[in-house]
Amino acid sequence: MSANEDQEMELEALRSIYEGDESFRELSPVSFQYRIGENGDPKAFLIEISWTETYPQTPPIISMNAFFNNTISSAVKQSILAKLQEAVEVNLGTAMTYTLFEYAKDNKERLMENHRPVCSATSISNSISVETPNTAPSSKKKDKKEQLSKAQKRKLADKTDHKGELPRGWNWVDVVKLSKTGSKDDE
């Protein structure tokens, strides 16, 4: 059987196995993502597996560069990838995408045992919200808009079109006026 036929058979099998599974995503016919863990789980991570032209005779490309994994340290990512590479070597020559996803699911706790969140979005937003009440009184003074008189508003309206935009070339320099003033300075 050729590599292409093997890939077609594995693709069909993956689609039937993971049909309705929210953790599985088919990015393309040769690239797949699987979320290990539940959505709110701090130890959840995302694995992306892409097949090469000669897969399964050659190893697939395994990546953890998804934005979902931004709170996982690079050391933990490298550890997970190393463990998955060991599983790849054992299964080389056979369809292994399902096996790799299941291996990661079964060993999630062991793979993430050294995980300490690097910097989560919730801690950033909490620090911002804590600082906001202290700076609020001074920022209110700065946020106050300057009031325009009726004459100023009318002059501004005359300069702009009906959409409130300035006409093309409103800030262009008048070359004739500039050259006349420049010649007076020379005298």
Side-chain angles (χ1 to χ4, degrees), residues 131-150:
E131 293 173 11
T132 304
N134 297 338
T135 59
S138 63
S139 66
K140 285 182 183 176
K141 294 176 187 174
K142 293 177 185 175
D143 291 343
K144 189 174 180 179
K145 289 187 175 181
E146 184 180 327
Q147 295 292 327
L148 298 176
S149 68
K150 280 187 178 182

Side-chain angles (χ1 to χ4, degrees), residues 73-142:
S73 70
S74 59
V76 172
K77 286 181 190 177
Q78 291 301 322
S79 168
I80 293 170
L81 290 172
K83 297 273 196 291
L84 289 172
Q85 282 301 103
E86 291 173 12
V88 165
E89 291 170 12
V90 170
N91 294 302
L92 201 58
T94 62
M96 67 183 92
T97 305
Y98 172 78
T99 308
L100 293 174
F101 288 152
E102 291 303 307
Y103 172 81
K105 279 180 13 184
D106 294 343
N107 297 299
K108 178 185 144 219
E109 290 302 319
R110 191 167 54 87
L111 293 171
M112 294 296 282
E113 66 188 357
N114 296 326
H115 171 63
R116 304 283 177 268
V118 175
C119 180
S120 64
T122 54
S123 65
I124 293 171
S125 64
N126 288 343
S127 67
I128 291 171
S129 64
V130 169
E131 293 173 11
T132 304
N134 297 338
T135 59
S138 63
S139 66
K140 285 182 183 176
K141 294 176 187 174
K142 293 177 185 175

Side-chain angles (χ1 to χ4, degrees), residues 1-14 29 32 51-58 92-97:
M1 219 184 277
S2 72
N4 205 14
E5 291 171 347
D6 285 343
Q7 288 180 9
E8 286 177 20
M9 287 179 58
E10 185 173 3
L11 176 61
E12 191 175 311
L14 287 171
F32 312 93
W51 298 341
T52 58
E53 288 287 323
T54 55
Y55 170 86
Q57 283 71 34
T58 57
L92 201 58
T94 62
M96 67 183 92
T97 305

Side-chain angles (χ1 to χ4, degrees), residues 54-70:
T54 55
Y55 170 86
Q57 283 71 34
T58 57
I61 299 165
I62 304 172
S63 171
M64 289 189 68
N65 294 333
F67 182 75
F68 188 84
N69 297 330
N70 68 345

